[in-house]
Amino acid sequence: MAHHIDDYIRAMGIKGTDQFRRDYSTSVIIGLRVVGDLSEDGERGEAQTFLAALHGQEHETQSLNRRVWPLVKSAYGPQTPYIRVGRSSKNDVVIPEYSISQVHCEFALMPDGRIRIADLGSHNGTLINGKALEPKTPYVMEDEDELVLGRYLFEFLEAETFIGRVSVMGGRKVA
């Protein structure tokens, strides 16, 4: 379930940095803004994403802006070892955005603690730092990578970076 970054700032204020760190020790993705428009094309009306705003003007922010999605398995998600992401309620991470496929991509925790992502053949694709991922080809995420799913830009943050951001935004010192 996604919460607004302000909810995390309030939680840190109530719990304190140490308890917050214990409670929120997972990587996250944060919604930043819309970076493309969808255009219907072809005989079947297939949608395609045009990412005109990646390096140009920004669109108005939408409801996903500043929302945080922890990358964790859901009790209601698919029975796989991976964290599935998409707009369907059958995923571990549900992002209610029409340009994101029902099952869009998946994240996996690697034995060394790093996280990898793979696009699952999504309709509008997955981009990391402006480069399109080949479907089913894993990519190892780096802290603060920019991730585009459909027409929306997210930022990937490792747990410690997320905790640091929340702390700074809340005017606290990170211990």
PDB file of all heavy atoms in Angstrom, residues 84-120:
ATOM      1  N   ARG A  84       6.113  -8.507  -7.405  1.00  0.00           N
ATOM      2  CA  ARG A  84       5.472  -8.108  -8.653  1.00  0.00           C
ATOM      3  C   ARG A  84       4.840  -6.735  -8.513  1.00  0.00           C
ATOM      4  O   ARG A  84       4.232  -6.411  -7.493  1.00  0.00           O
ATOM      5  CB  ARG A  84       4.384  -9.106  -9.043  1.00  0.00           C
ATOM      6  CG  ARG A  84       4.931 -10.452  -9.469  1.00  0.00           C
ATOM      7  CD  ARG A  84       5.099 -10.523 -10.968  1.00  0.00           C
ATOM      8  NE  ARG A  84       5.841 -11.677 -11.391  1.00  0.00           N
ATOM      9  CZ  ARG A  84       5.310 -12.833 -11.777  1.00  0.00           C
ATOM     10  NH1 ARG A  84       3.998 -12.970 -11.784  1.00  0.00           N
ATOM     11  NH2 ARG A  84       6.083 -13.811 -12.160  1.00  0.00           N
ATOM     12  N   VAL A  85       4.966  -5.940  -9.588  1.00  0.00           N
ATOM     13  CA  VAL A  85       4.458  -4.571  -9.616  1.00  0.00           C
ATOM     14  C   VAL A  85       3.560  -4.400 -10.833  1.00  0.00           C
ATOM     15  O   VAL A  85       3.906  -4.836 -11.934  1.00  0.00           O
ATOM     16  CB  VAL A  85       5.622  -3.556  -9.696  1.00  0.00           C
ATOM     17  CG1 VAL A  85       5.099  -2.130  -9.797  1.00  0.00           C
ATOM     18  CG2 VAL A  85       6.557  -3.709  -8.505  1.00  0.00           C
ATOM     19  N   GLY A  86       2.414  -3.778 -10.649  1.00  0.00           N
ATOM     20  CA  GLY A  86       1.506  -3.490 -11.754  1.00  0.00           C
ATOM     21  C   GLY A  86       0.247  -2.831 -11.227  1.00  0.00           C
ATOM     22  O   GLY A  86       0.136  -2.542 -10.037  1.00  0.00           O
ATOM     23  N   ARG A  87      -0.704  -2.612 -12.108  1.00  0.00           N
ATOM     24  CA  ARG A  87      -1.930  -1.932 -11.651  1.00  0.00           C
ATOM     25  C   ARG A  87      -2.987  -2.900 -11.138  1.00  0.00           C
ATOM     26  O   ARG A  87      -3.945  -2.500 -10.487  1.00  0.00           O
ATOM     27  CB  ARG A  87      -2.481  -1.010 -12.730  1.00  0.00           C
ATOM     28  CG  ARG A  87      -3.165  -1.648 -13.867  1.00  0.00           C
ATOM     29  CD  ARG A  87      -3.856  -0.601 -14.762  1.00  0.00           C
ATOM     30  NE  ARG A  87      -4.644  -1.285 -15.727  1.00  0.00           N
ATOM     31  CZ  ARG A  87      -4.229  -1.637 -16.930  1.00  0.00           C
ATOM     32  NH1 ARG A  87      -3.019  -1.319 -17.319  1.00  0.00           N
ATOM     33  NH2 ARG A  87      -5.020  -2.291 -17.740  1.00  0.00           N
ATOM     34  N   SER A  88      -2.830  -4.197 -11.386  1.00  0.00           N
ATOM     35  CA  SER A  88      -3.782  -5.187 -10.901  1.00  0.00           C
ATOM     36  C   SER A  88      -3.639  -5.388  -9.392  1.00  0.00           C
ATOM     37  O   SER A  88      -2.531  -5.384  -8.850  1.00  0.00           O
ATOM     38  CB  SER A  88      -3.539  -6.530 -11.603  1.00  0.00           C
ATOM     39  OG  SER A  88      -4.247  -7.567 -10.947  1.00  0.00           O
ATOM     40  N   SER A  89      -4.760  -5.597  -8.731  1.00  0.00           N
ATOM     41  CA  SER A  89      -4.750  -5.841  -7.289  1.00  0.00           C
ATOM     42  C   SER A  89      -4.115  -7.179  -6.934  1.00  0.00           C
ATOM     43  O   SER A  89      -3.897  -7.470  -5.761  1.00  0.00           O
ATOM     44  CB  SER A  89      -6.174  -5.777  -6.727  1.00  0.00           C
ATOM     45  OG  SER A  89      -6.958  -6.792  -7.308  1.00  0.00           O
ATOM     46  N   LYS A  90      -3.786  -7.981  -7.917  1.00  0.00           N
ATOM     47  CA  LYS A  90      -3.154  -9.287  -7.676  1.00  0.00           C
ATOM     48  C   LYS A  90      -1.636  -9.181  -7.563  1.00  0.00           C
ATOM     49  O   LYS A  90      -0.956 -10.190  -7.419  1.00  0.00           O
ATOM     50  CB  LYS A  90      -3.539 -10.262  -8.779  1.00  0.00           C
ATOM     51  CG  LYS A  90      -5.029 -10.570  -8.783  1.00  0.00           C
ATOM     52  CD  LYS A  90      -5.406 -11.485  -9.903  1.00  0.00           C
ATOM     53  CE  LYS A  90      -6.919 -11.691  -9.873  1.00  0.00           C
ATOM     54  NZ  LYS A  90      -7.399 -12.418 -11.029  1.00  0.00           N
ATOM     55  N   ASN A  91      -1.085  -7.972  -7.620  1.00  0.00           N
ATOM     56  CA  ASN A  91       0.357  -7.762  -7.477  1.00  0.00           C
ATOM     57  C   ASN A  91       0.721  -7.499  -6.018  1.00  0.00           C
ATOM     58  O   ASN A  91      -0.137  -7.193  -5.201  1.00  0.00           O
ATOM     59  CB  ASN A  91       0.796  -6.552  -8.322  1.00  0.00           C
ATOM     60  CG  ASN A  91       0.719  -6.847  -9.793  1.00  0.00           C
ATOM     61  OD1 ASN A  91       1.446  -7.675 -10.308  1.00  0.00           O
ATOM     62  ND2 ASN A  91      -0.192  -6.164 -10.485  1.00  0.00           N
ATOM     63  N   ASP A  92       2.013  -7.600  -5.723  1.00  0.00           N
ATOM     64  CA  ASP A  92       2.510  -7.233  -4.395  1.00  0.00           C
ATOM     65  C   ASP A  92       2.475  -5.725  -4.215  1.00  0.00           C
ATOM     66  O   ASP A  92       2.155  -5.222  -3.146  1.00  0.00           O
ATOM     67  CB  ASP A  92       3.954  -7.729  -4.214  1.00  0.00           C
ATOM     68  CG  ASP A  92       4.043  -9.240  -4.281  1.00  0.00           C
ATOM     69  OD1 ASP A  92       3.399  -9.900  -3.451  1.00  0.00           O
ATOM     70  OD2 ASP A  92       4.735  -9.753  -5.179  1.00  0.00           O
ATOM     71  N   VAL A  93       2.867  -5.000  -5.264  1.00  0.00           N
ATOM     72  CA  VAL A  93       2.879  -3.542  -5.261  1.00  0.00           C
ATOM     73  C   VAL A  93       1.897  -3.088  -6.336  1.00  0.00           C
ATOM     74  O   VAL A  93       2.099  -3.360  -7.519  1.00  0.00           O
ATOM     75  CB  VAL A  93       4.293  -2.985  -5.542  1.00  0.00           C
ATOM     76  CG1 VAL A  93       4.280  -1.472  -5.636  1.00  0.00           C
ATOM     77  CG2 VAL A  93       5.271  -3.455  -4.468  1.00  0.00           C
ATOM     78  N   VAL A  94       0.821  -2.434  -5.902  1.00  0.00           N
ATOM     79  CA  VAL A  94      -0.235  -2.009  -6.818  1.00  0.00           C
ATOM     80  C   VAL A  94      -0.118  -0.502  -7.040  1.00  0.00           C
ATOM     81  O   VAL A  94      -0.152   0.276  -6.093  1.00  0.00           O
ATOM     82  CB  VAL A  94      -1.629  -2.352  -6.246  1.00  0.00           C
ATOM     83  CG1 VAL A  94      -2.727  -1.867  -7.180  1.00  0.00           C
ATOM     84  CG2 VAL A  94      -1.745  -3.842  -5.984  1.00  0.00           C
ATOM     85  N   ILE A  95       0.045  -0.128  -8.320  1.00  0.00           N
ATOM     86  CA  ILE A  95       0.147   1.282  -8.674  1.00  0.00           C
ATOM     87  C   ILE A  95      -1.035   1.611  -9.592  1.00  0.00           C
ATOM     88  O   ILE A  95      -1.074   1.149 -10.740  1.00  0.00           O
ATOM     89  CB  ILE A  95       1.489   1.597  -9.359  1.00  0.00           C
ATOM     90  CG1 ILE A  95       2.645   1.188  -8.443  1.00  0.00           C
ATOM     91  CG2 ILE A  95       1.561   3.081  -9.717  1.00  0.00           C
ATOM     92  CD1 ILE A  95       4.016   1.341  -9.052  1.00  0.00           C
ATOM     93  N   PRO A  96      -1.995   2.386  -9.103  1.00  0.00           N
ATOM     94  CA  PRO A  96      -3.215   2.664  -9.862  1.00  0.00           C
ATOM     95  C   PRO A  96      -3.012   3.721 -10.949  1.00  0.00           C
ATOM     96  O   PRO A  96      -3.422   4.863 -10.815  1.00  0.00           O
ATOM     97  CB  PRO A  96      -4.180   3.144  -8.781  1.00  0.00           C
ATOM     98  CG  PRO A  96      -3.296   3.804  -7.778  1.00  0.00           C
ATOM     99  CD  PRO A  96      -2.012   3.015  -7.780  1.00  0.00           C
ATOM    100  N   GLU A  97      -2.368   3.313 -12.024  1.00  0.00           N
ATOM    101  CA  GLU A  97      -2.071   4.218 -13.143  1.00  0.00           C
ATOM    102  C   GLU A  97      -2.355   3.447 -14.431  1.00  0.00           C
ATOM    103  O   GLU A  97      -1.784   2.383 -14.651  1.00  0.00           O
ATOM    104  CB  GLU A  97      -0.607   4.673 -13.066  1.00  0.00           C
ATOM    105  CG  GLU A  97      -0.008   5.281 -14.305  1.00  0.00           C
ATOM    106  CD  GLU A  97      -0.746   6.478 -14.893  1.00  0.00           C
ATOM    107  OE1 GLU A  97      -1.316   7.300 -14.157  1.00  0.00           O
ATOM    108  OE2 GLU A  97      -0.767   6.567 -16.129  1.00  0.00           O
ATOM    109  N   TYR A  98      -3.226   3.995 -15.276  1.00  0.00           N
ATOM    110  CA  TYR A  98      -3.686   3.260 -16.460  1.00  0.00           C
ATOM    111  C   TYR A  98      -2.572   2.930 -17.451  1.00  0.00           C
ATOM    112  O   TYR A  98      -2.699   1.984 -18.222  1.00  0.00           O
ATOM    113  CB  TYR A  98      -4.811   4.027 -17.171  1.00  0.00           C
ATOM    114  CG  TYR A  98      -4.354   5.311 -17.834  1.00  0.00           C
ATOM    115  CD1 TYR A  98      -3.922   5.322 -19.151  1.00  0.00           C
ATOM    116  CD2 TYR A  98      -4.355   6.517 -17.132  1.00  0.00           C
ATOM    117  CE1 TYR A  98      -3.494   6.497 -19.748  1.00  0.00           C
ATOM    118  CE2 TYR A  98      -3.937   7.682 -17.728  1.00  0.00           C
ATOM    119  CZ  TYR A  98      -3.501   7.671 -19.035  1.00  0.00           C
ATOM    120  OH  TYR A  98      -3.078   8.822 -19.636  1.00  0.00           O
ATOM    121  N   SER A  99      -1.466   3.659 -17.466  1.00  0.00           N
ATOM    122  CA  SER A  99      -0.390   3.373 -18.419  1.00  0.00           C
ATOM    123  C   SER A  99       0.555   2.279 -17.930  1.00  0.00           C
ATOM    124  O   SER A  99       1.432   1.838 -18.670  1.00  0.00           O
ATOM    125  CB  SER A  99       0.413   4.644 -18.716  1.00  0.00           C
ATOM    126  OG  SER A  99       1.121   5.076 -17.569  1.00  0.00           O
ATOM    127  N   ILE A 100       0.353   1.830 -16.709  1.00  0.00           N
ATOM    128  CA  ILE A 100       1.144   0.728 -16.157  1.00  0.00           C
ATOM    129  C   ILE A 100       0.364  -0.555 -16.419  1.00  0.00           C
ATOM    130  O   ILE A 100      -0.844  -0.625 -16.188  1.00  0.00           O
ATOM    131  CB  ILE A 100       1.401   0.947 -14.652  1.00  0.00           C
ATOM    132  CG1 ILE A 100       2.304   2.173 -14.470  1.00  0.00           C
ATOM    133  CG2 ILE A 100       2.010  -0.283 -14.012  1.00  0.00           C
ATOM    134  CD1 ILE A 100       2.525   2.590 -13.032  1.00  0.00           C
ATOM    135  N   SER A 101       1.059  -1.581 -16.908  1.00  0.00           N
ATOM    136  CA  SER A 101       0.400  -2.846 -17.249  1.00  0.00           C
ATOM    137  C   SER A 101      -0.157  -3.533 -16.010  1.00  0.00           C
ATOM    138  O   SER A 101       0.270  -3.267 -14.885  1.00  0.00           O
ATOM    139  CB  SER A 101       1.398  -3.783 -17.943  1.00  0.00           C
ATOM    140  OG  SER A 101       1.749  -3.269 -19.208  1.00  0.00           O
ATOM    141  N   GLN A 102      -1.109  -4.435 -16.245  1.00  0.00           N
ATOM    142  CA  GLN A 102      -1.690  -5.216 -15.144  1.00  0.00           C
ATOM    143  C   GLN A 102      -0.579  -5.843 -14.305  1.00  0.00           C
ATOM    144  O   GLN A 102      -0.596  -5.775 -13.088  1.00  0.00           O
ATOM    145  CB  GLN A 102      -2.606  -6.317 -15.701  1.00  0.00           C
ATOM    146  CG  GLN A 102      -3.832  -5.825 -16.405  1.00  0.00           C
ATOM    147  CD  GLN A 102      -4.926  -5.419 -15.444  1.00  0.00           C
ATOM    148  OE1 GLN A 102      -4.987  -5.876 -14.311  1.00  0.00           O
ATOM    149  NE2 GLN A 102      -5.794  -4.540 -15.895  1.00  0.00           N
ATOM    150  N   VAL A 103       0.359  -6.512 -14.954  1.00  0.00           N
ATOM    151  CA  VAL A 103       1.573  -7.028 -14.330  1.00  0.00           C
ATOM    152  C   VAL A 103       2.709  -6.430 -15.132  1.00  0.00           C
ATOM    153  O   VAL A 103       2.939  -6.818 -16.275  1.00  0.00           O
ATOM    154  CB  VAL A 103       1.617  -8.572 -14.356  1.00  0.00           C
ATOM    155  CG1 VAL A 103       2.906  -9.076 -13.729  1.00  0.00           C
ATOM    156  CG2 VAL A 103       0.403  -9.150 -13.645  1.00  0.00           C
ATOM    157  N   HIS A 104       3.408  -5.465 -14.582  1.00  0.00           N
ATOM    158  CA  HIS A 104       4.356  -4.654 -15.345  1.00  0.00           C
ATOM    159  C   HIS A 104       5.799  -5.136 -15.222  1.00  0.00           C
ATOM    160  O   HIS A 104       6.491  -5.342 -16.214  1.00  0.00           O
ATOM    161  CB  HIS A 104       4.249  -3.197 -14.887  1.00  0.00           C
ATOM    162  CG  HIS A 104       4.848  -2.232 -15.843  1.00  0.00           C
ATOM    163  ND1 HIS A 104       4.090  -1.524 -16.750  1.00  0.00           N
ATOM    164  CD2 HIS A 104       6.131  -1.858 -16.055  1.00  0.00           C
ATOM    165  CE1 HIS A 104       4.885  -0.758 -17.479  1.00  0.00           C
ATOM    166  NE2 HIS A 104       6.129  -0.932 -17.064  1.00  0.00           N
ATOM    167  N   CYS A 105       6.260  -5.297 -13.983  1.00  0.00           N
ATOM    168  CA  CYS A 105       7.646  -5.690 -13.758  1.00  0.00           C
ATOM    169  C   CYS A 105       7.738  -6.428 -12.433  1.00  0.00           C
ATOM    170  O   CYS A 105       6.758  -6.553 -11.712  1.00  0.00           O
ATOM    171  CB  CYS A 105       8.577  -4.468 -13.768  1.00  0.00           C
ATOM    172  SG  CYS A 105       8.242  -3.250 -12.472  1.00  0.00           S
ATOM    173  N   GLU A 106       8.952  -6.912 -12.138  1.00  0.00           N
ATOM    174  CA  GLU A 106       9.159  -7.558 -10.848  1.00  0.00           C
ATOM    175  C   GLU A 106      10.540  -7.205 -10.313  1.00  0.00           C
ATOM    176  O   GLU A 106      11.478  -6.975 -11.077  1.00  0.00           O
ATOM    177  CB  GLU A 106       8.984  -9.067 -10.942  1.00  0.00           C
ATOM    178  CG  GLU A 106      10.008  -9.779 -11.786  1.00  0.00           C
ATOM    179  CD  GLU A 106       9.713 -11.257 -11.957  1.00  0.00           C
ATOM    180  OE1 GLU A 106       8.605 -11.718 -11.598  1.00  0.00           O
ATOM    181  OE2 GLU A 106      10.608 -11.960 -12.456  1.00  0.00           O
ATOM    182  N   PHE A 107      10.622  -7.146  -8.988  1.00  0.00           N
ATOM    183  CA  PHE A 107      11.869  -6.898  -8.296  1.00  0.00           C
ATOM    184  C   PHE A 107      12.263  -8.171  -7.567  1.00  0.00           C
ATOM    185  O   PHE A 107      11.401  -8.922  -7.123  1.00  0.00           O
ATOM    186  CB  PHE A 107      11.707  -5.773  -7.263  1.00  0.00           C
ATOM    187  CG  PHE A 107      11.537  -4.416  -7.868  1.00  0.00           C
ATOM    188  CD1 PHE A 107      10.281  -3.941  -8.206  1.00  0.00           C
ATOM    189  CD2 PHE A 107      12.635  -3.596  -8.090  1.00  0.00           C
ATOM    190  CE1 PHE A 107      10.113  -2.679  -8.751  1.00  0.00           C
ATOM    191  CE2 PHE A 107      12.480  -2.330  -8.644  1.00  0.00           C
ATOM    192  CZ  PHE A 107      11.220  -1.878  -8.977  1.00  0.00           C
ATOM    193  N   ALA A 108      13.562  -8.382  -7.428  1.00  0.00           N
ATOM    194  CA  ALA A 108      14.061  -9.540  -6.683  1.00  0.00           C
ATOM    195  C   ALA A 108      15.231  -9.109  -5.825  1.00  0.00           C
ATOM    196  O   ALA A 108      16.082  -8.325  -6.259  1.00  0.00           O
ATOM    197  CB  ALA A 108      14.494 -10.647  -7.643  1.00  0.00           C
ATOM    198  N   LEU A 109      15.264  -9.619  -4.606  1.00  0.00           N
ATOM    199  CA  LEU A 109      16.384  -9.381  -3.713  1.00  0.00           C
ATOM    200  C   LEU A 109      17.454 -10.418  -4.030  1.00  0.00           C
ATOM    201  O   LEU A 109      17.192 -11.623  -4.002  1.00  0.00           O
ATOM    202  CB  LEU A 109      15.933  -9.492  -2.258  1.00  0.00           C
ATOM    203  CG  LEU A 109      16.992  -9.230  -1.204  1.00  0.00           C
ATOM    204  CD1 LEU A 109      17.540  -7.798  -1.328  1.00  0.00           C
ATOM    205  CD2 LEU A 109      16.416  -9.444   0.190  1.00  0.00           C
ATOM    206  N   MET A 110      18.649  -9.938  -4.344  1.00  0.00           N
ATOM    207  CA  MET A 110      19.757 -10.828  -4.680  1.00  0.00           C
ATOM    208  C   MET A 110      20.494 -11.232  -3.397  1.00  0.00           C
ATOM    209  O   MET A 110      20.385 -10.547  -2.382  1.00  0.00           O
ATOM    210  CB  MET A 110      20.691 -10.135  -5.673  1.00  0.00           C
ATOM    211  CG  MET A 110      19.979  -9.827  -6.983  1.00  0.00           C
ATOM    212  SD  MET A 110      20.838  -8.747  -8.162  1.00  0.00           S
ATOM    213  CE  MET A 110      22.521  -9.162  -8.037  1.00  0.00           C
ATOM    214  N   PRO A 111      21.229 -12.345  -3.418  1.00  0.00           N
ATOM    215  CA  PRO A 111      21.927 -12.803  -2.207  1.00  0.00           C
ATOM    216  C   PRO A 111      22.874 -11.762  -1.603  1.00  0.00           C
ATOM    217  O   PRO A 111      23.062 -11.736  -0.392  1.00  0.00           O
ATOM    218  CB  PRO A 111      22.716 -14.025  -2.696  1.00  0.00           C
ATOM    219  CG  PRO A 111      21.959 -14.517  -3.882  1.00  0.00           C
ATOM    220  CD  PRO A 111      21.368 -13.292  -4.519  1.00  0.00           C
ATOM    221  N   ASP A 112      23.434 -10.877  -2.429  1.00  0.00           N
ATOM    222  CA  ASP A 112      24.353  -9.861  -1.911  1.00  0.00           C
ATOM    223  C   ASP A 112      23.625  -8.628  -1.373  1.00  0.00           C
ATOM    224  O   ASP A 112      24.252  -7.642  -1.005  1.00  0.00           O
ATOM    225  CB  ASP A 112      25.376  -9.456  -2.965  1.00  0.00           C
ATOM    226  CG  ASP A 112      24.762  -8.795  -4.191  1.00  0.00           C
ATOM    227  OD1 ASP A 112      23.530  -8.580  -4.226  1.00  0.00           O
ATOM    228  OD2 ASP A 112      25.518  -8.494  -5.137  1.00  0.00           O
ATOM    229  N   GLY A 113      22.275  -8.661  -1.341  1.00  0.00           N
ATOM    230  CA  GLY A 113      21.492  -7.560  -0.805  1.00  0.00           C
ATOM    231  C   GLY A 113      21.042  -6.539  -1.837  1.00  0.00           C
ATOM    232  O   GLY A 113      20.198  -5.699  -1.548  1.00  0.00           O
ATOM    233  N   ARG A 114      21.608  -6.601  -3.045  1.00  0.00           N
ATOM    234  CA  ARG A 114      21.167  -5.674  -4.081  1.00  0.00           C
ATOM    235  C   ARG A 114      19.819  -6.120  -4.629  1.00  0.00           C
ATOM    236  O   ARG A 114      19.386  -7.240  -4.409  1.00  0.00           O
ATOM    237  CB  ARG A 114      22.199  -5.599  -5.206  1.00  0.00           C
ATOM    238  CG  ARG A 114      23.512  -4.982  -4.709  1.00  0.00           C
ATOM    239  CD  ARG A 114      24.519  -4.827  -5.797  1.00  0.00           C
ATOM    240  NE  ARG A 114      24.806  -6.121  -6.399  1.00  0.00           N
ATOM    241  CZ  ARG A 114      25.351  -6.287  -7.597  1.00  0.00           C
ATOM    242  NH1 ARG A 114      25.687  -5.242  -8.323  1.00  0.00           N
ATOM    243  NH2 ARG A 114      25.574  -7.483  -8.086  1.00  0.00           N
ATOM    244  N   ILE A 115      19.168  -5.215  -5.353  1.00  0.00           N
ATOM    245  CA  ILE A 115      17.845  -5.505  -5.917  1.00  0.00           C
ATOM    246  C   ILE A 115      17.922  -5.412  -7.432  1.00  0.00           C
ATOM    247  O   ILE A 115      18.522  -4.488  -7.981  1.00  0.00           O
ATOM    248  CB  ILE A 115      16.796  -4.523  -5.367  1.00  0.00           C
ATOM    249  CG1 ILE A 115      16.612  -4.790  -3.873  1.00  0.00           C
ATOM    250  CG2 ILE A 115      15.477  -4.650  -6.111  1.00  0.00           C
ATOM    251  CD1 ILE A 115      15.589  -3.920  -3.202  1.00  0.00           C
ATOM    252  N   ARG A 116      17.303  -6.379  -8.087  1.00  0.00           N
ATOM    253  CA  ARG A 116      17.249  -6.333  -9.546  1.00  0.00           C
ATOM    254  C   ARG A 116      15.799  -6.193  -9.973  1.00  0.00           C
ATOM    255  O   ARG A 116      14.878  -6.546  -9.236  1.00  0.00           O
ATOM    256  CB  ARG A 116      17.896  -7.550 -10.171  1.00  0.00           C
ATOM    257  CG  ARG A 116      17.104  -8.815  -9.973  1.00  0.00           C
ATOM    258  CD  ARG A 116      17.173  -9.711 -11.189  1.00  0.00           C
ATOM    259  NE  ARG A 116      16.458 -10.939 -10.975  1.00  0.00           N
ATOM    260  CZ  ARG A 116      15.160 -11.102 -11.201  1.00  0.00           C
ATOM    261  NH1 ARG A 116      14.422 -10.097 -11.604  1.00  0.00           N
ATOM    262  NH2 ARG A 116      14.579 -12.263 -11.010  1.00  0.00           N
ATOM    263  N   ILE A 117      15.630  -5.639 -11.172  1.00  0.00           N
ATOM    264  CA  ILE A 117      14.304  -5.461 -11.755  1.00  0.00           C
ATOM    265  C   ILE A 117      14.283  -6.149 -13.111  1.00  0.00           C
ATOM    266  O   ILE A 117      15.321  -6.242 -13.792  1.00  0.00           O
ATOM    267  CB  ILE A 117      13.966  -3.955 -11.909  1.00  0.00           C
ATOM    268  CG1 ILE A 117      12.524  -3.767 -12.399  1.00  0.00           C
ATOM    269  CG2 ILE A 117      14.965  -3.264 -12.813  1.00  0.00           C
ATOM    270  CD1 ILE A 117      12.076  -2.312 -12.440  1.00  0.00           C
ATOM    271  N   ALA A 118      13.125  -6.631 -13.509  1.00  0.00           N
ATOM    272  CA  ALA A 118      12.934  -7.165 -14.859  1.00  0.00           C
ATOM    273  C   ALA A 118      11.556  -6.734 -15.344  1.00  0.00           C
ATOM    274  O   ALA A 118      10.570  -6.842 -14.613  1.00  0.00           O
ATOM    275  CB  ALA A 118      13.051  -8.686 -14.876  1.00  0.00           C
ATOM    276  N   ASP A 119      11.508  -6.205 -16.555  1.00  0.00           N
ATOM    277  CA  ASP A 119      10.233  -5.887 -17.190  1.00  0.00           C
ATOM    278  C   ASP A 119       9.598  -7.216 -17.588  1.00  0.00           C
ATOM    279  O   ASP A 119      10.285  -8.134 -18.040  1.00  0.00           O
ATOM    280  CB  ASP A 119      10.458  -5.021 -18.437  1.00  0.00           C
ATOM    281  CG  ASP A 119       9.152  -4.642 -19.092  1.00  0.00           C
ATOM    282  OD1 ASP A 119       8.568  -3.627 -18.686  1.00  0.00           O
ATOM    283  OD2 ASP A 119       8.713  -5.370 -20.007  1.00  0.00           O
ATOM    284  N   LEU A 120       8.297  -7.349 -17.416  1.00  0.00           N
ATOM    285  CA  LEU A 120       7.607  -8.609 -17.717  1.00  0.00           C
ATOM    286  C   LEU A 120       6.844  -8.556 -19.032  1.00  0.00           C
ATOM    287  O   LEU A 120       5.805  -9.180 -19.187  1.00  0.00           O
ATOM    288  CB  LEU A 120       6.677  -8.981 -16.553  1.00  0.00           C
ATOM    289  CG  LEU A 120       7.399  -9.257 -15.234  1.00  0.00           C
ATOM    290  CD1 LEU A 120       6.393  -9.496 -14.115  1.00  0.00           C
ATOM    291  CD2 LEU A 120       8.356 -10.427 -15.376  1.00  0.00           C
TER     292      LEU A 120
END
